[in-house]
Amino acid sequence: MTKAQHFGWFLSRGFGPHGWGHPYYEWNYPWYEPQLYQQSIRDLEQAGFDLVIIEDALSLGNADTLDLRIRSAYGGPKHDPLMLAPYLFDVTSHIGIAPTVNPLAYSPYQAARQFATLQHLSSNRFGINVVTDVGSSRHFGVEPVSHDAAYDRAEEWLTSIRRLWHSWGDDALIADAATGHFADGTRLDALQHRGANYTFDGPLNALPFAAGDPVVVSPGGSPRGLNFAGEQSEVQLALASLDVDTIRAYRAKVLDAATAHGRTAADIDILFVFKPIIVASTEEADRLVQASAHPDDAALLQVAAGQSSDLETDLTKLDLDRPVDEGIFGDHVSRGSIKGLLGKADSFASTTLRELLTAKARLGRISSREGFVGTADEIADFIEQIGDEADNDGFIFSGDLHPVTIHRMLDELVPILRRRGILRTSFGNGGLRGNLRDF
């Protein structure tokens, strides 16, 4: 029997200039106003998607890559996705919203109060995508820490927030209009936290939750990041090669980490990032693949520019015909992004930059499992196979949150997935956590 899966959308550009560099930018949606995102998210809810995750970066990057990151508006500007969330909740009823947040930017008490407010405003549809980037430390007057130490800080931050959320005891809220007794102060936990990274007192000045805490999402693919997901997250945003063996192995690592922390597979959904190119016919798919087979230097430099933004390291200045020295990537650079550049190559030392970029530039047919170009039926075949053979929980589609992007990718795919029983046709009333746990 076909397995139902969960689906989401990742705003890969964040709250930034959606459509920039593409002809559909001329639809004239002001990216800094809410209407563009409101129209798109209504369509995603109509499609049966469970959540939208909004990428973010607190910084425009370091001085060496600043111009590179903003030249094509990929690395910035980015407005605060937390401020966008209420506008999205206002025009939807079921889909969850998980803006990216960084412990650097929010003290635990401030975060707990703001996130609790959004959970109540959204009828339990709020989530947080927790990132541990340390490259923005200088903007907040904080000394940068190592990759693993940033996860230690994030764990203390999340644990503190959860304790604040639950600083109201089960019977603290009385709300008895007849007696005029609203709450029992003796049932509040006036906690005092004195930790390695944070100092604050409770209790929290916000109502407790009737239907569960905000959902925690995390994207880290390093060993430390996977352990963090196993302990802390309800959704793991997974970036990996999309073949059955790799997905099985990745899932095993996350689920082993969850088990080690006393959790089960039912406590976390592992959703893999997926960016298919859906075309009208197999002939068009073949044409696209053949056209990409021999990228010239200009095409490779375009790929290098995009990779450079993600890696905060300017690859465009490097010799295409020499291997990349892995030492050029600072500690602040995501391990997942570095692995993404390496792809299926054995090592940086044995592979030239030209070879790495060529592998990124070339397209492949999804029917042969060499890439992600295919018809809607072929894409659905792939999704169904991964669900059945790798016990996959689902996928996060990635791209601009622009109506043109949404419809180009989903118009033909959604009906096919629904007919096969893979994509939901209705929602319950359990908020985001309910969406993720109802099958």
Side-chain angles (χ1 to χ4, degrees):
M1 181 177 178
T2 298
K3 175 185 176 181
Q5 297 184 46
H6 295 288
F7 294 90
W9 192 277
F10 181 63
L11 281 69
S12 57
R13 196 185 289 267
F15 186 4
H18 285 251
W20 182 260
H22 299 280
Y24 53 80
Y25 189 76
E26 302 305 323
W27 276 84
N28 294 338
Y29 289 101
W31 68 266
Y32 41 82
E33 295 181 3
Q35 293 83 3
L36 165 66
Y37 311 96
Q38 289 175 320
Q39 179 171 336
S40 295
I41 201 163
R42 281 194 295 260
D43 290 341
L44 288 175
E45 182 172 80
Q46 182 70 30
F49 276 44
D50 295 304
L51 78 162
V52 167
I53 303 169
I54 311 176
E55 183 271 348
D56 191 35
L58 297 171
S59 174
L60 286 173
N62 60 60
D64 292 338
T65 58
L66 183 60
D67 179 66
L68 182 71
R69 285 173 60 78
I70 66 172
R71 188 183 306 154
S72 298
Y74 186 80
K78 294 180 190 288
H79 290 182
D80 189 341
L82 202 65
M83 302 298 102
L84 178 62
Y87 292 92
L88 305 184
F89 289 129
D90 189 46
V91 297
T92 55
S93 301
H94 301 287
I95 196 168
I97 312 295
T100 294
V101 296
N102 190 322
L104 279 174
Y106 305 92
S107 68
Y109 189 91
Q110 174 195 16
R113 190 167 186 247
Q114 289 184 349
F115 301 164
T117 300
L118 286 166
Q119 179 75 331
H120 286 293
L121 284 172
S122 66
S123 299
N124 308 301
R125 293 188 287 135
F126 182 66
I128 51 173
N129 179 40
V130 180
V131 301
T132 55
D133 161 58
V134 298
S136 306
S137 298
R138 66 188 185 281
H139 300 307
F140 297 89
V142 177
E143 289 296 319
V145 297
S146 69
H147 174 272
D148 285 3
Y151 274 107
D152 293 340
R153 178 170 59 194
E155 284 184 347
E156 181 184 344
W157 183 78
L158 262 181
T159 301
S160 300
I161 288 171
R162 285 176 168 138
R163 189 175 175 193
L164 284 164
W165 282 337
H166 294 275
S167 59
W168 285 56
D170 291 340
D171 301 321
L173 180 62
I174 297 171
D176 187 342
T179 63
H181 196 177
F182 186 81
D184 183 350
T186 66
R187 296 186 179 275
L188 270 62
D189 179 9
L191 62 104
Q192 294 182 324
H193 180 87
R194 303 294 182 266
N197 300 283
Y198 300 103
T199 297
F200 63 87
D201 292 347
L204 185 65
N205 183 20
L207 284 177
F209 307 122
D213 299 350
V215 166
V216 173
V217 181
S218 65
S222 67
R224 186 67 180 85
L226 296 179
N227 184 71
F228 179 87
E231 181 179 9
Q232 301 284 351
S233 303
E234 282 101 347
V235 174
Q236 166 68 357
L237 179 62
L239 185 63
S241 297
L242 298 182
D243 59 85
V244 170
D245 290 341
T246 300
I247 288 176
R248 281 176 177 163
Y250 192 107
R251 285 178 51 79
K253 290 177 183 177
V254 176
L255 296 179
D256 285 349
T259 300
H261 292 288
R263 305 174 74 208
T264 70
D267 296 319
I268 184 168
D269 285 299
I270 305 163
L271 305 180
F272 287 83
V273 175
F274 187 33
K275 195 171 184 178
I277 300 173
I278 302 179
V279 296
S281 67
T282 57
E283 291 78 14
E284 184 179 355
D286 290 337
R287 180 185 61 78
L288 284 177
V289 170
Q290 290 167 8
S292 72
H294 304 288
D296 58 19
D297 285 6
L300 295 181
L301 287 174
Q302 186 175 5
V303 175
Q307 293 285 318
S308 297
S309 180
D310 289 338
L311 292 161
E312 290 195 54
T313 307
D314 193 352
L315 303 179
T316 65
K317 296 179 179 179
L318 303 181
D319 187 336
L320 286 172
D321 296 307
R322 295 180 62 86
V324 176
D325 178 4
E326 195 172 355
I328 65 174
F329 304 120
D331 288 341
H332 64 285
V333 178
S334 160
R335 300 297 101 182
S337 296
I338 295 173
K339 288 182 180 179
L341 174 63
L342 184 61
K344 295 182 179 180
D346 292 332
S347 70
F348 284 106
S350 62
T351 314
T352 66
L353 179 58
R354 181 183 299 278
E355 291 169 324
L356 295 175
L357 298 177
T358 297
K360 300 292 179 192
R362 285 176 176 161
L363 302 175
R365 293 282 273 109
I366 200 163
S367 58
S368 62
R369 302 301 184 258
E370 295 176 344
F372 301 107
V373 181
T375 65
D377 274 303
E378 290 172 336
I379 301 298
D381 289 342
F382 170 79
I383 291 172
E384 186 171 0
Q385 178 200 8
I386 296 298
D388 291 342
E389 297 183 16
D391 198 28
N392 189 39
D393 295 319
F395 288 98
I396 297 287
F397 289 82
S398 176
D400 281 0
L401 195 70
H402 191 288
V404 170
T405 308
I406 299 290
H407 287 281
R408 182 178 291 162
M409 195 174 291
L410 299 181
D411 274 355
E412 293 186 50
L413 183 61
V414 164
I416 295 169
L417 293 177
R418 282 185 166 160
R419 286 196 295 268
R420 298 189 187 191
I422 298 171
L423 174 64
R424 71 165 69 246
T425 58
S426 64
F427 293 92
N429 295 308
L432 177 53
R433 180 168 279 102
N435 293 351
L436 297 169
R437 299 294 175 262
D438 62 359
F439 56 79

